[in-house]
């Protein structure tokens, strides 16, 4: 009696029964898992080639690719989230920041988020692509775009403050020490390094300290570069998120902070 040949497993069955493949695919959304498992061999080769190219590409180029490949779709989805958009718009108005959250502004911010993440990747390269993929696939991560925008706009405002205004701002905060360490000191250090504000006569107590009341003069483009170079995406995003979660986490009084400095304060 002829022996029966063992049945050959289908490619789909072999993927489903492979612990390694199953573990990797399990990290994908269910819809993406089904799509990946259903692909014929030829199309799987294309996916693997794309994965290889992305992983072998420097972070800055990854950012450019992801911007071109995903930004339009992300903008349309972000614009659908009207509640978060209006909430952030209200916060910005409350801080006297009049940035319009137009489609162009949102697209630029998404592109900036990728580039900013690429800069951070020099310190944590394994986290960059992961964070970018989360932004594409996860609704909660897309909400971080608004957190990032709010945090970034506030840091831009603080970069344009004088050091005297910084002092008044941190006096309003509940945890002054943490606020100074996290935000004020890095900004003032960036001012010094870039020659925007150069302290003079700091050891002479009765000297007129012009640098303390000097308003930083920074172009819009340079301002964005400074914020990105000074703070990681996590710091920017967490700053915005903390305010959205609890408005009183950042205390602000526009009239008090920006009131004119007494002329003789450092005479």
């Amino acid at each position: 009696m002829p022996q029966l040949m063992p049945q050959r497993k289908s490619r789909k069955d072999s993927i489903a029964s492979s612990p390694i493949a199953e573990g990797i695919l399990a990290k994908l959304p269910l819809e993406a898992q089904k799509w990946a498992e259903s692909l014929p061999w030829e199309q799987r080769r294309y996916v693997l080639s794309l994965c290889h190219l992305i992983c072998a590409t420097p972070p800055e180029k990854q950012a450019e690719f992801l911007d071109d490949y995903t930004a339009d779709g992300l903008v349309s989805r972000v614009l659908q989230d009207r509640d978060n958009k209006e909430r952030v718009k209200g916060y910005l108005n409350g801080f006297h920041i009049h940035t319009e959250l137009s489609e162009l502004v949102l697209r630029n911010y998404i592109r900036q988020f990728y580039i900013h993440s690429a800069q951070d990747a020099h310190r944590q390269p394994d986290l960059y692509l992961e964070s970018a993929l989360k932004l594409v696939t996860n609704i909660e991560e897309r909400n971080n775009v608004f957190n990032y925008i709010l945090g970034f706009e506030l840091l831009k405002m603080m970069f344009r403050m004088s050091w005297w205004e910084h002092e008044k701002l941190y006096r309003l905060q509940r945890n002054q020490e943490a606020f100074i360490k996290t935000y004020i000191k890095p900004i003032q250090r960036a001012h010094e390094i870039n020659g925007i504000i150069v302290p003079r006569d700091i050891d002479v107590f009765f000297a007129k300290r012009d640098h303390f009341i000097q308003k930083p003069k920074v172009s819009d483009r340079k301002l964005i570069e400074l914020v990105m170079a000074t703070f990681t995406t996590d710091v920017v995003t967490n700053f915005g998120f903390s305010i959205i979660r609890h408005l009183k986490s950042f205390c602000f009084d526009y009239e008090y902070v920006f009131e004119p400095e007494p002329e003789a304060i450092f005479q």
Side-chain angles (χ1 to χ4, degrees):
M1 185 175 181
Q3 291 185 346
L4 295 174
M5 294 292 291
Q7 269 192 331
R8 187 176 179 181
K9 291 183 179 180
S10 69
R11 291 191 181 95
K12 186 173 180 180
D13 289 338
S14 64
I15 287 179
S17 61
S18 167
I20 296 176
E22 189 178 48
I24 293 174
L25 292 177
K27 297 178 181 180
L28 293 171
L30 183 58
E31 185 178 346
Q33 289 182 46
K34 293 179 179 178
W35 173 81
E37 291 175 352
S38 69
L39 289 177
W41 169 241
E42 287 296 325
Q43 293 182 26
R44 289 180 189 178
R45 283 184 5 186
Y46 304 150
V47 172
L48 291 173
S49 297
L50 180 59
C51 291
H52 171 73
L53 288 172
I54 291 177
C55 292
T57 300
E60 293 83 356
K61 295 298 182 182
Q62 288 183 20
E64 292 177 12
F65 168 77
L66 287 166
D67 173 51
D68 292 337
Y69 199 67
T70 65
D72 288 338
L74 281 173
V75 168
S76 66
R77 284 165 174 76
V78 168
L79 286 172
Q80 291 171 8
D81 190 354
R82 295 181 180 178
D83 289 342
N84 271 333
K85 180 183 175 183
E86 289 303 314
R87 187 179 297 116
V88 170
K89 184 178 177 181
Y91 289 138
L92 291 174
N93 289 337
F95 297 126
H96 293 249
I97 298 172
H98 305 297
T99 298
E100 184 65 33
L101 299 181
S102 63
E103 182 174 341
L104 178 60
V105 169
L106 289 173
R107 195 187 195 289
N108 286 339
Y109 256 116
I110 289 172
R111 175 178 173 80
Q112 179 182 302
F113 182 88
Y114 284 142
I115 296 172
H116 199 167
S117 297
Q119 291 181 358
D120 295 347
H122 293 303
R123 292 181 286 273
Q124 296 177 303
D126 56 320
L127 298 182
Y128 168 62
L129 188 56
E130 178 183 344
S131 65
L133 288 172
K134 285 181 179 178
L135 187 62
V136 173
T137 60
N138 190 291
I139 294 175
E140 291 183 6
E141 289 294 328
R142 283 202 294 273
N143 290 341
N144 269 339
V145 171
F146 288 113
N147 298 332
Y148 179 83
I149 291 172
L150 178 57
F152 204 92
E153 289 292 327
L154 284 171
L155 290 169
K156 282 166 57 179
M157 177 185 73
M158 290 163 62
F159 254 98
R160 281 188 163 142
M161 288 182 179
S162 69
W163 290 13
W164 169 234
E165 289 164 347
H166 282 166
E167 182 167 318
K168 289 186 285 184
L169 179 64
Y170 84 68
R171 285 176 181 173
L172 295 172
Q173 309 310 312
R174 296 181 176 183
N175 191 336
Q176 296 179 0
E177 185 176 349
F179 190 81
I180 292 171
K181 181 179 179 181
T182 306
Y183 306 112
I184 301 300
K185 289 298 183 183
I187 290 173
Q188 293 185 354
R189 187 160 54 248
H191 281 166
E192 290 187 64
I193 292 172
N194 290 274
I196 297 168
I197 293 179
V198 181
R200 293 186 177 89
D201 300 322
I202 57 176
D203 296 325
V204 181
F205 184 79
F206 289 104
K208 182 178 180 181
R209 302 182 184 179
D210 290 325
H211 72 273
F212 204 66
I213 59 174
Q214 177 185 343
K215 293 284 284 188
K217 295 180 180 179
V218 190
S219 68
D220 291 340
R221 182 175 179 179
K222 182 65 175 179
L223 184 62
I224 292 172
E225 292 174 355
L226 284 172
V227 177
M228 292 172 65
T230 305
F231 299 102
T232 65
T233 50
D234 281 346
V235 171
V236 176
T237 302
N238 289 337
F239 189 24
F241 174 73
S242 67
I243 295 169
I244 291 175
R245 183 182 59 181
H246 196 318
L247 182 58
K248 292 185 178 179
S249 65
F250 177 65
C251 300
F252 185 72
D253 183 330
Y254 183 86
E255 285 72 23
Y256 168 69
V257 171
F258 291 106
E259 67 181 350
E261 295 83 1
E263 290 185 5
I265 189 169
F266 295 118
Q267 295 283 1

